[in-house]
Amino acid sequence: MADKRTTADDVVAELKDGMTIGIGGWGSRRKPMALVRAILRSPVRDLTVVSYGGPDVGLLCAAGKVKRVVFGFVTLDSIPFDPWFGRARETGAIEVTEYDEGMFGTALSAAAQRLPFLPTRAGLGSEVMRANPGLRTVRSPYEDGEELVAVPAQHLDVALLHLNRADARGNVQYLGPDPYFDELFGLAAERCFVSVEKVVETAELTAGSPVQSLLLNRGSVAGVVEAPRGAHFTTAVPDYGRDERFQRHYAACAKDLAAWPEFVDRFLSADEGTYLSEVDKFEAEAA
Amino acid sequence: MSATRAEIVVVAMAEVFRGDGEIVASPMGLIPQLGARLARLTFEPDLLMSDGEAYLMTTDGVVEGWQPFRKMLDTIVPHGRRHVVMGANQIDRYGNQNISAIGDHARPKKQLLGVRGAPGNTVNHRTSYWVPRHSARVFVESVDVVSGVGYDNAAKAGPSAQKFHDVHRVVTNLGVFDFGGPDHAMRAVSLHPGVTRDEVAAATTFEIDFTGTGTSREPTDEELRLVREVVDPKSLRDKEVPA
C-alpha cells in the first residue's frame, strides 16, 4: 500500500510555471499556508490561483508569483481587505476572473463531474458577465426556456488543501464546523496535495469523530504533508483559531512598503521551522 | 423613554424582515444583525439565523442546524428561502449595488471585497441593503461595478434574472427607501424623525421620489427594552449610528 507522506518542499517541486493552482479554505480560514510559504521559497511563477481568497492570495501576489486570480472575494475576514491583493489589482500587476461566490463553486463542481459547464442563475445581470467576456449563457431545452449562465468547468492542475488529520495513505479529515469547498478543489484537480496538523493511524480517524468528517478518500489524494500549525495565521479549529495579532501585523506590514522587506526577511526567507519559531518569538515580544 | 436615532434605525431594520416567516435571515453587519434579532424576538419568531459561521442558532443560543458555506451557496441561496441584508459601497437609482471595486474593473482605483455573493443573492431571493452614512458618494448616478443586480440590469438580462429578483429596502441613517418609484426608481418610504427631505436630497446624487414619504415609527416600549437590555446592551449601535 502506498505511503503518500511527503514534504511541503517536495510538493512545491512538482509545480511548474504557468500552472493553475486551486487553494482550499475560505478567506482567512484553514488555508494551506505552510504549502503557500513553500511556494514563496520556490522559483515557480506565472501561476493562475483559484481561491476563495485570503492571505494565501495576498502573499503570492506579494512574491510576484501570480499571473491571474480566479476569485469571488479576497478577505482576511477580521480585516476586510488584503493589502497585497489590493495593490496587485490597483497597479494592474495581475489579471483576474471575478465570479460570484456560488458560481465559483459551480465551476469546481463542473470540473469535479467532468462536465464542460453547469447552469446557474448567479451572475445574470451583474458585472461578472461583462468582466468575463468568454462567459456564455445556455437555454433550457424544456418548456420554461430559461436562459442561464453556463459556468465553465474550472480545471485545476494541482489543489493544495490543509485539513486537521489524515492517514499516510491519503484519507483526510476536517474536524471544524465547516468543510468549505475543499472536496471540490480536490476533485477538480489533476493532483491534490493535503497538509494536515497530524498524520494518524487510519483507525484513529473515526475513533472519536463521525465518519462524515472524512472529506476526501485516498483515491483522490496524491500526497500528505504533516505540517503542525500549517494553516497559521488562519484558523484550523478545533486545533487552533486565527492568530489575530499576527494577521494584524501581516496586514500592517503589507500596507507599508517600507515595512514589508523586514517582514519577508524575518518570516518568509527561511524554512517552515524558522517561520514558526519567529512567530513564537513575535508572540512572546507582543505579549 | 425617547428613542435615539440608532434605536429608530434598529427598529426600521427589524421592519425590513416583517412578513418573511420561516426563512433564513442573513444580516451582514451590526445594525442588520440587531434588526433581525429584534424582529425574531418580536413579530418574526420563525426566522432562521446563523452564528455567522456554520451553525443555525435559536434565540437562546442553542444550535438548531448546520449551514456551512457550501450548503449556503449550493442550496440555501438558489433555493430562495432567504433574505439577505448586505452593505454597499455604492447604490444607484435602480438598486444596483457595488462592493467589488471603485473605478474601472480592469484596473480599479480601489479594490474592495470583490462581488462576493451579491450577484447570486440578488437574482435568487429578497435582498436589502444597509448604509450607515447616507451620502452622495454612496448614492451615485451609476455604480462602478454591478455586484448586486438592480431592476434595470435584471430587466436587460431577461426573465431568468427577473424571476426571483426582489430588491426590497435600503435602510440608511436618514431613512428607509424602496424601489417603488416609476421604472423601479428609488423612493423614500420614510425618513427618520428629525430628518428633512432637503437633507436626504443633498446626500443623494440622483433625484429621489418623495411621493407618499412618511416618518419612521418610534419603537414600542417593549422594543426599546429588548434593544437596550437584550439585543445590544453595550450600545454598539451608537458607534455605528451617532445620535
Side-chain angles (χ1 to χ4, degrees):
Chain A
M1 80 178 74
D3 184 339
K4 294 178 186 160
R5 282 175 291 183
T6 180
T7 67
D9 289 324
D10 284 342
V11 167
V12 168
E14 309 247 348
L15 305 184
K16 295 185 176 58
D17 291 354
M19 271 189 169
T20 297
I21 310 287
I23 301 181
W26 172 284
S28 187
R29 305 172 201 216
R30 211 157 45 64
K31 285 287 176 178
M33 298 298 281
L35 296 176
V36 168
R37 288 186 282 270
I39 296 177
L40 303 181
R41 294 191 296 269
S42 81
V44 73
R45 57 192 196 94
D46 288 332
L47 298 175
T48 290
V49 176
V50 180
S51 177
Y52 283 109
D56 52 329
V57 172
L59 283 167
L60 291 168
C61 286
K65 300 293 189 189
V66 182
K67 183 177 174 219
R68 173 176 291 272
V69 181
V70 182
F71 73 110
F73 59 79
V74 177
T75 181
L76 302 176
D77 290 308
S78 51
I79 299 170
F81 307 130
D82 180 276
W84 267 112
F85 177 66
R87 186 174 292 119
R89 285 284 281 138
E90 291 153 24
T91 58
I94 56 168
E95 297 166 26
V96 293
T97 299
E98 180 165 6
Y99 281 158
D100 165 82
E101 290 174 12
M103 285 178 78
F104 184 107
T106 304
L108 293 176
S109 286
Q113 296 172 42
R114 304 187 299 176
L115 293 171
F117 70 89
L118 280 170
T120 186
R121 204 176 300 279
L124 291 172
S126 78
E127 181 79 18
V128 165
M129 302 306 285
R130 286 181 285 278
N132 299 293
L135 269 185
R136 297 287 178 266
T137 58
V138 61
R139 189 170 293 282
S140 163
Y142 300 106
E143 222 167 273
D144 55 85
E146 283 210 61
E147 190 182 3
L148 299 162
V149 183
V151 184
Q154 178 63 64
H155 295 286
L156 306 172
D157 293 311
V158 169
L160 303 176
L161 312 175
H162 184 83
L163 284 88
N164 301 94
R165 302 286 181 273
D167 65 13
R169 305 178 73 187
N171 296 300
V172 297
Q173 178 177 47
Y174 76 104
L175 296 174
D178 199 320
Y180 309 120
F181 286 66
D182 285 359
E183 181 190 10
L184 288 181
F185 278 99
L187 297 177
E190 290 294 320
R191 307 187 77 198
C192 173
F193 296 98
V194 183
S195 61
V196 292
E197 290 299 315
K198 197 174 177 198
V199 175
V200 298
E201 292 298 321
T202 306
E204 202 180 311
L205 293 169
T206 50
S209 308
V211 72
Q212 295 92 327
S213 61
L214 294 171
L215 196 61
L216 280 164
N217 65 48
R218 56 192 167 80
S220 27
V221 173
V224 175
V225 176
E226 187 170 62
R229 295 163 75 196
H232 183 272
F233 45 91
T234 70
T235 61
V237 284
D239 291 309
Y240 46 87
R242 185 177 302 125
D243 186 342
E244 297 286 0
R245 181 184 283 158
F246 190 85
Q247 174 162 288
R248 281 197 300 276
H249 183 59
Y250 158 72
C253 294
K255 251 185 214 160
D256 178 0
L257 283 179
W260 184 249
E262 200 182 316
F263 184 90
V264 174
D265 281 352
R266 179 168 185 190
F267 296 108
L268 302 175
S269 297
D271 60 10
E272 182 70 8
T274 309
Y275 172 80
L276 291 175
S277 68
E278 285 302 319
V279 166
D280 288 339
K281 280 186 222 162
F282 171 83
E283 302 294 349
E285 286 159 21
Chain B
M1 288 196 287
S2 93
T4 64
R5 174 69 60 84
E7 286 159 352
I8 297 279
V9 164
V10 170
V11 170
M13 186 57 79
E15 283 291 338
V16 160
F17 296 99
R18 191 180 282 278
D20 278 354
E22 200 157 22
I23 66 166
V24 174
S26 296
M28 315 280 183
L30 175 73
I31 296 289
Q33 280 163 23
L34 299 180
R37 288 177 59 200
L38 180 62
R40 185 160 67 155
L41 288 167
T42 53
F43 51 82
E44 287 298 335
D46 293 332
L47 287 175
L48 293 144
M49 286 178 68
S50 86
D51 63 343
E53 303 253 347
Y55 300 124
L56 290 165
M57 310 291 286
T58 69
T59 47
D60 300 327
V62 174
V63 174
E64 63 169 329
W66 186 50
Q67 188 178 269
F69 289 123
R70 185 169 166 198
K71 194 159 163 167
M72 176 61 86
L73 294 174
D74 278 359
T75 52
I76 309 282
V77 170
H79 189 249
R81 295 183 56 76
R82 180 174 185 240
H83 182 174
V84 67
V85 181
M86 287 185 283
N89 297 89
Q90 296 177 321
I91 292 181
D92 71 19
R93 170 180 301 195
Y94 300 110
N96 296 288
Q97 167 251 28
N98 176 19
I99 50 172
S100 175
I102 299 297
D104 179 17
H105 185 269
R107 183 160 173 188
K109 270 187 269 185
K110 173 72 182 159
Q111 174 66 38
L112 304 169
L113 282 174
V115 297
R116 292 221 67 149
N121 291 342
T122 44
V123 296
N124 276 305
H125 55 64
R126 179 166 278 189
T127 300
S128 296
Y129 296 108
W130 159 240
V131 176
R133 276 169 298 281
H134 191 129
S135 77
R137 283 183 62 182
V138 176
F139 290 94
V140 294
E141 199 59 53
S142 101
V143 302
D144 294 350
V145 176
V146 177
S147 309
V149 178
Y151 282 93
D152 54 343
N153 278 310
K156 272 186 243 165
S160 290
Q162 292 178 286
K163 197 168 184 179
F164 306 116
H165 181 262
D166 176 14
V167 182
H168 182 56
R169 293 283 186 277
V170 180
V171 178
T172 80
N173 58 323
L174 300 184
V176 180
F177 306 84
D178 71 5
F179 295 90
D183 300 323
H184 293 288
M186 197 168 98
R187 182 176 70 168
V189 175
S190 68
L191 304 187
H192 304 324
V195 175
T196 66
R197 291 183 180 193
D198 285 349
E199 200 179 332
V200 174
T204 310
T205 306
F206 51 84
E207 202 175 314
I208 290 190
D209 185 344
F210 286 106
T211 311
T213 301
T215 303
S216 307
R217 74 171 173 88
E218 296 284 340
T220 64
D221 288 348
E222 174 63 1
E223 285 170 336
L224 271 187
R225 186 190 70 79
L226 286 168
V227 170
R228 291 173 183 178
E229 294 173 22
V230 179
V231 172
D232 185 27
K234 290 181 183 160
S235 281
L236 297 175
R237 61 190 178 279
D238 295 330
K239 291 201 180 94
E240 185 128 342
V241 183

